Amino acid sequence: MLQSSHALLLSLALGAASANAAGWNFVQNGTSGILALEAMIVSPTLAIFFDRASNDPLMINNAPAWGALWNLETNTASPLRVISDTFCASGGFLSNGTMVSVGGNIPAITAATDGRMAIRIFEPCADPAGLNCTLFEDPETLHLEETRWYPSSLRIFDGSLMIVGGIHERTPFYNTDPVNNFEFFPPKDGGVPRPSEFLARSLPANLFPRVFGLPDGRVLMVANNQTIIYDIEKNTETILPDIPNGVRVTNPFDGSATLLPLSPPLYTPEVLVCGGTTTSDLIQPANLSSQDPASDQCSRLTITSEGIKKGWQVEKMLEARIMPELLLLPNGQVLIVNGGQTGYAAFDTVPDPVGFQSNADHPAPALGQRISNKVMPTTDIPRVYHSVASLTPKGKVVFYASITERPVMSNVPAKIGFNKRFTINVSVPKNLKANSIQGVFFSNLVHTSRALIMLTRSYGPRLLLSRLPLEFEMVFMDAQLSQIVGLCPLVYPPGPAYIFVTIDDVTSAGAQVMVGSGAPPPVADQGLPNQF
């Protein structure tokens, strides 16, 4: 696929609708020294980048590095010692805040070991610059049950990690050596992986399946053109309607997907799937072309009995995209970035990259009017195969410009228990009238298992809300928010999160908190009984 020849870190400043606020713009802020094939925000000031084990310019102990700590404040990279090849791995966070990276590839250089069964541990890092913060890896004693390349993962309701699918080793284009099962970390079921009929049915184009935790504790899975709900406790699956019009959305036919923001009082889940291709997975790779068009389709499905019966609702992006990224923003919008207009997610060149412009998916307007690139900037740096985009705690998108007049939170607690009151102070700049206020729980800023929980709907200032089932109070009085978190661990699994406050569509920087007790998984139900 077409890639930039430089390891660049770009960012998009999170703008606002207010005329007094900053707009969207691209700023290049340094080089990372490795390609950020995978990026995870591990603290308010640090992100971890993983590359494939190759001869990147960043060095560690006189050898190439393929892991790095990126400092979000100074825009500099520090090499991170990694033992195994992290190429096309996956990962997430446990209930105690530990970052876990799983899977990988057979390395192309001798400095790395086979990463396909790897489990890599990064404990919460207290130093803002990452000093003395290291990655733990011991392939002999800590490893997966299966070799996995291109797996997916998500944090589930007990704070542990579910690892889904993958391929045993590289095959030509399609997944013809599949890992058709799930496993967990820490292990469940005596360490024996669970076979998956869904993964078997969705072959041969089901790498990096899209997986999302639902508010009832079950898991939504999208692979190829198929969708299911998987019940972890019952080990059963419910088949949902196929994605319309023959569109396929997982590797090597990559589209992207996200669960849309969950809002009280019912936290009704809705999934959005965009891009991909209508190419049949029966066509042999030799008969495919890098000029084959991508899909411009976005489809949504509400995950309720009524919504499933209604089926997928279809609208169009402004251009076709293979390998796009969908990012949840703290104001409830979805940012659509990156990708190419033709070709596939494989190892050959794809021309005509679409990395030059972004769409913003706005949740309020009517179907067919929600996608726009108004006020969105362009860049001449292609971003396709193994490009990454991620929201940072500063409310910016890494792919870093300043917003000077924005709300500022203070007195944010380090830990928030389920069904416990917490209070934060909010300083509101004079340019904002505070006509609309939202408190937002934002997840761990990782693509897999992403979630955006709206703590309130939009309300005017100085408004006291009565408590609703599985909701909470919100008081805005003299720049103070006081809330009771009535979420249960099924809606938001225990573990690290970021809180943002959005006022008049201008979003504060995020504050890192621990939701729940911070105990290692599996953890008992720490919240309200499930009422869904």
Side-chain angles (χ1 to χ4, degrees):
M1 308 303 295
L2 183 61
Q3 299 183 46
S4 172
S5 59
H6 299 88
L8 299 176
L9 186 74
L10 302 176
S11 67
L12 204 57
L14 179 57
S18 169
N20 296 322
W24 291 87
N25 56 91
F26 279 105
V27 180
Q28 180 179 330
N29 277 337
T31 61
S32 56
I34 67 172
L35 292 172
L37 306 190
E38 299 133 38
M40 284 186 265
I41 307 297
V42 294
S43 81
T45 59
L46 297 171
I48 282 185
F49 292 166
F50 289 127
D51 192 2
R52 67 181 301 182
S54 58
N55 294 311
D56 284 332
L58 189 65
M59 304 291 287
I60 184 170
N61 299 328
N62 297 317
W66 57 94
L69 275 178
W70 179 263
N71 191 313
L72 296 165
E73 299 292 333
T74 64
N75 299 306
T76 56
S78 302
L80 193 64
R81 182 177 178 269
V82 186
I83 295 174
S84 62
D85 190 358
T86 51
F87 186 27
C88 294
S90 185
F93 289 85
L94 303 179
S95 56
N96 61 353
T98 296
M99 189 281 295
V100 180
S101 168
V102 295
N105 192 28
I106 300 172
I109 62 173
T110 58
T113 64
D114 191 337
R116 294 174 297 161
M117 296 182 73
I119 298 177
R120 310 169 191 93
I121 302 293
F122 187 86
E123 299 289 355
C125 179
D127 187 88
L131 297 178
N132 301 316
C133 297
T134 59
L135 190 75
F136 174 80
E137 191 173 1
D138 186 353
E140 294 298 320
T141 61
L142 183 66
H143 55 79
L144 298 172
E145 298 297 326
E146 288 263 14
T147 54
R148 295 180 190 269
W149 191 33
Y150 283 86
S152 295
S153 55
L154 79 156
R155 187 168 79 240
I156 60 173
F157 51 82
D158 68 355
S160 59
L161 206 64
M162 182 179 184
I163 304 150
V164 180
I167 187 172
H168 287 114
E169 60 182 286
R170 180 177 173 180
T171 60
F173 197 74
Y174 289 121
N175 185 3
T176 56
D177 189 9
V179 188
N180 292 332
N181 58 45
F182 317 136
E183 62 178 287
F184 300 86
F185 181 78
K188 300 182 187 298
D189 309 321
V192 178
R194 298 184 183 184
S196 169
E197 296 179 2
F198 167 68
L199 291 175
R201 287 195 310 271
S202 57
L203 291 170
N206 68 355
L207 295 175
F208 282 148
R210 277 43 174 183
V211 290
F212 307 99
L214 296 175
D216 61 3
R218 297 182 297 171
V219 178
L220 179 72
M221 298 187 179
V222 181
N224 202 321
N225 66 338
Q226 301 178 36
T227 309
I228 67 161
I229 298 174
Y230 176 69
D231 191 310
I232 295 173
E233 296 179 303
K234 297 179 181 179
N235 192 22
T236 58
E237 64 175 50
T238 300
I239 298 176
L240 303 183
D242 287 350
I243 296 171
N245 304 315
V247 173
R248 305 175 193 278
V249 296
T250 46
N251 189 279
F253 297 150
D254 280 289
S256 190
T258 187
L259 204 64
L260 295 178
L262 297 169
S263 299
L266 298 179
Y267 303 102
T268 301
E270 184 179 11
V271 65
L272 175 68
V273 182
C274 294
T277 181
T278 57
T279 296
S280 169
D281 59 10
L282 300 177
I283 300 176
Q284 293 302 305
N287 297 322
L288 299 175
S289 167
S290 64
Q291 300 303 303
D292 293 340
S295 171
D296 62 356
Q297 178 173 292
C298 277
S299 308
R300 332 173 157 238
L301 185 67
T302 301
I303 314 300
T304 61
S305 298
E306 297 78 11
I308 294 169
K309 183 177 180 180
K310 185 178 180 180
W312 293 90
Q313 306 299 301
V314 173
E315 53 192 318
K316 301 291 185 180
M317 293 183 288
L318 303 183
E319 60 275 298
R321 291 180 188 252
I322 191 93
M323 298 172 290
E325 295 263 12
L326 302 185
L327 297 179
L328 294 172
L329 301 182
N331 61 3
Q333 295 181 345
V334 180
L335 179 67
I336 306 173
V337 295
N338 294 359
Q341 293 184 18
T342 67
Y344 306 99
F347 288 92
D348 295 321
T349 298
V350 170
D352 194 18
V354 201
F356 306 151
Q357 196 161 49
S358 307
N359 286 174
D361 179 27
H362 302 273
L367 190 71
Q369 301 175 8
R370 302 179 181 183
I371 299 177
S372 169
N373 60 7
K374 185 178 180 181
V375 309
M376 303 300 289
T378 62
T379 174
D380 58 0
I381 299 177
R383 305 184 309 278
V384 279
Y385 195 55
H386 287 306
S387 293
V388 69
S390 183
L391 183 70
T392 75
K394 294 293 186 181
K396 303 169 184 179
V397 177
V398 174
F399 20 43
Y400 195 91
S402 297
I403 302 175
T404 56
E405 295 296 317
R406 58 195 298 184
V408 176
M409 294 185 295
S410 60
N411 194 38
V412 180
K415 185 180 293 184
I416 297 175
F418 289 97
N419 204 30
K420 302 293 184 180
R421 177 179 293 278
F422 71 96
T423 300
I424 60 176
N425 296 327
V426 183
S427 175
V428 183
K430 294 180 180 179
N431 64 301
L432 300 180
K433 297 180 180 180
N435 291 320
S436 175
I437 306 159
Q438 293 177 322
V440 175
F441 252 173
F442 195 79
S443 79
N444 47 47
L445 306 183
V446 176
H447 283 26
T448 54
S449 70
R450 73 185 81 176
L452 178 65
I453 313 298
M454 308 296 290
L455 289 188
T456 69
R457 299 171 182 172
S458 295
Y459 294 100
R462 299 173 178 81
L463 180 65
L464 177 62
L465 306 179
S466 61
R467 190 175 177 199
L468 301 175
L470 283 181
E471 205 175 335
F472 42 80
E473 288 181 310
M474 176 177 177
V475 184
F476 182 81
M477 300 179 69
D478 299 324
Q480 186 175 83
L481 295 175
S482 180
Q483 304 187 2
I484 294 178
V485 181
L487 297 172
C488 70
L490 302 181
V491 177
Y492 189 89
Y498 284 85
I499 291 179
F500 295 85
V501 171
T502 299
I503 297 178
D504 293 347
D505 206 30
V506 178
T507 300
S508 69
Q512 188 180 38
V513 298
M514 177 63 70
V515 180
S517 67
V523 295
D525 187 348
Q526 303 173 68
L528 302 176
N530 180 24
Q531 299 182 20
F532 293 94

